[in-house]
Amino acid sequence: MTEHKFKLGMYLPELDLPFDESLAKAREIGADYVWFNRLGNDGPPMEELDDAGVDRLGKQVASHGLEIFLINVGNPFKQIHLTDLDLDCMEEHPEFRRDMADLVRSMQMASRLGVGAVGLFTFAWPGEYSAAKPTWPMRWLTRGGHIADVDMEKLVRAFSLMLEQAERYDVDLALSMMPWNYTNTTGNFRRLAEALNSPRIKVMWGPSDNLNCGEADVATAGFLNIHPYLYGLHLKDLTVKDGLQLDFSYCPLGEGDVDYPAIFRSLRDRRSDAVLSVATHFLPASGSREEAMRINYANLERMIEES
């Protein structure tokens, strides 16, 4: 059997550079694939691009020898609290309408550029964007939180509306994972995916986010939960100090609590074509985002070699 070659990608906003410079750096550091939700720290909002601008964007990325594997206009459905939506008329909620418009524009761009999926998020737990974070203790102690039946109904209705558009534009939905959103663990993602029962539901797996929510067996049972839906991995690492108190710190890839070697072995055994998209979230002593990305790429390549 030939040696498995992983697809290496990068989440460009981590570099916080002008867009063209970030593309050049990504290629130099080792990426073949890129993902972004904004055009660097100097570009216009993505939703302002017309079709000609989208075409120029595709050519700009290709000119650096890179391929866009995921695209999203902003961060659709990242900061909307699910409890603020009414089951029967959620599409009338102004923030829902705004984020749906951004998602549809993402789909139009992806379809035009030949990108297979768009990125989006999965709504916030009650009170999550407040200082109190009232449901966090429950979520930590239950290894991710219990999704009530009424909330699952809302999620299924919301994503069914999104899937109608995804069919129209022939793209998949790659759901991102955050500790603050409903698909914060592989178990919660799997419950939603099975309820939707659509081949267009994919995931940008965030093992560190799962671990940060109390899911202890991320690299084993978690991998089995998530593998059938994998589109890519959002790679960062952290150390959980006191989970119940949400006390954690980000660190270089492979130096935290996530068992990445086990994950890479499982991906290799299944010859997965999911993109390993490197992020950072930590800063070295120099304060350089570029150095942080280089550290993570070097650590990733070492772990792949050793796994």
Side-chain angles (χ1 to χ4, degrees):
M1 184 180 293
T2 59
E3 177 66 17
H4 179 63
K5 181 174 174 57
F6 285 99
K7 293 182 175 180
L8 301 188
M10 185 181 294
Y11 180 58
L12 282 185
E14 294 278 11
L15 293 173
D16 195 30
L17 294 170
F19 189 64
D20 200 64
E21 188 176 343
S22 72
L23 292 171
K25 287 292 182 186
R27 188 62 176 150
E28 176 190 335
I29 292 170
D32 295 309
Y33 301 87
V34 291
W35 165 35
F36 49 89
N37 60 358
R38 57 186 176 88
L39 301 178
N41 62 15
D42 65 337
M46 287 181 62
E47 63 268 24
E48 293 182 3
L49 292 182
D50 58 14
D51 286 348
V54 172
D55 292 343
R56 288 193 296 272
L57 171 65
K59 292 177 181 176
Q60 183 180 17
V61 174
S63 72
H64 288 275
L66 295 166
E67 181 178 335
I68 303 170
F69 80 99
L70 183 68
I71 194 167
N72 44 297
V73 172
N75 294 310
F77 309 108
K78 181 177 181 178
Q79 292 189 292
I80 299 176
H81 287 96
L82 191 67
T83 50
D84 290 342
L85 301 179
D86 186 279
L87 177 64
D88 297 321
C89 56
M90 62 177 61
E91 59 267 50
E92 298 175 13
H93 190 282
E95 292 181 3
F96 187 95
R97 288 203 310 269
R98 177 203 64 204
D99 283 15
M100 181 64 86
D102 286 345
L103 181 64
V104 169
R105 187 57 185 147
S106 302
M107 294 177 183
Q108 292 167 345
M109 290 181 177
S111 180
R112 192 171 185 90
L113 294 171
V115 177
V118 296
L120 67 159
F121 293 82
T122 58
F123 302 97
W125 288 85
E128 191 54 40
Y129 292 108
S130 68
K133 293 186 180 292
T135 65
W136 179 264
M138 176 275 290
R139 283 149 50 201
W140 173 261
L141 291 171
T142 58
R143 299 181 55 177
H146 174 71
I147 302 177
D149 290 346
V150 64
D151 291 331
M152 183 57 76
E153 285 186 72
K154 289 182 181 181
L155 290 168
V156 169
R157 173 161 168 71
F159 282 97
S160 295
L161 294 171
M162 300 175 209
L163 285 166
E164 290 177 7
Q165 296 298 319
E167 289 293 340
R168 177 182 177 186
Y169 291 103
D170 191 24
V171 295
D172 293 338
L173 302 180
L175 279 55
S176 284
M177 291 181 146
M178 288 185 61
W180 336 124
N181 287 177
Y182 275 83
T183 57
N184 52 347
T185 62
T186 67
N188 281 344
F189 169 82
R190 185 69 182 253
R191 283 189 281 276
L192 176 59
E194 290 180 348
L196 291 167
N197 192 29
S198 169
R200 291 206 177 276
I201 293 295
K202 308 295 182 184
V203 67
M204 280 297 295
W205 185 23
S208 64
D209 294 313
N210 304 155
L211 191 74
N212 205 13
C213 294
E215 188 172 15
D217 48 1
V218 175
T220 52
F223 177 84
L224 295 177
N225 273 337
I226 215 89
H227 177 256
Y229 305 92
L230 267 181
Y231 187 77
L233 284 80
H234 187 49
L235 300 182
K236 57 192 179 187
D237 209 346
L238 53 75
T239 299
V240 177
K241 302 174 183 177
D242 186 338
L244 190 60
Q245 299 300 319
L246 191 54
D247 183 6
F248 68 95
S249 60
Y250 289 111
C251 60
L253 200 64
E255 298 180 19
D257 294 339
V258 181
D259 189 354
Y260 277 115
I263 290 171
F264 298 146
R265 285 194 296 271
S266 294
L267 290 169
R268 174 179 281 124
D269 289 346
R270 291 160 178 79
R271 305 187 72 77
S272 173
D273 64 354
V275 176
L276 306 183
S277 179
V278 182
T280 53
H281 284 43
F282 78 97
L283 284 175
S286 67
S288 167
R289 289 174 176 264
E290 179 184 337
E291 183 184 356
M293 187 63 78
R294 290 184 183 277
I295 290 169
N296 271 4
Y297 252 86
N299 289 0
L300 171 61
E301 290 168 350
R302 173 183 53 78
M303 285 188 288
I304 287 174
E305 181 68 24
E306 294 174 355
S307 63

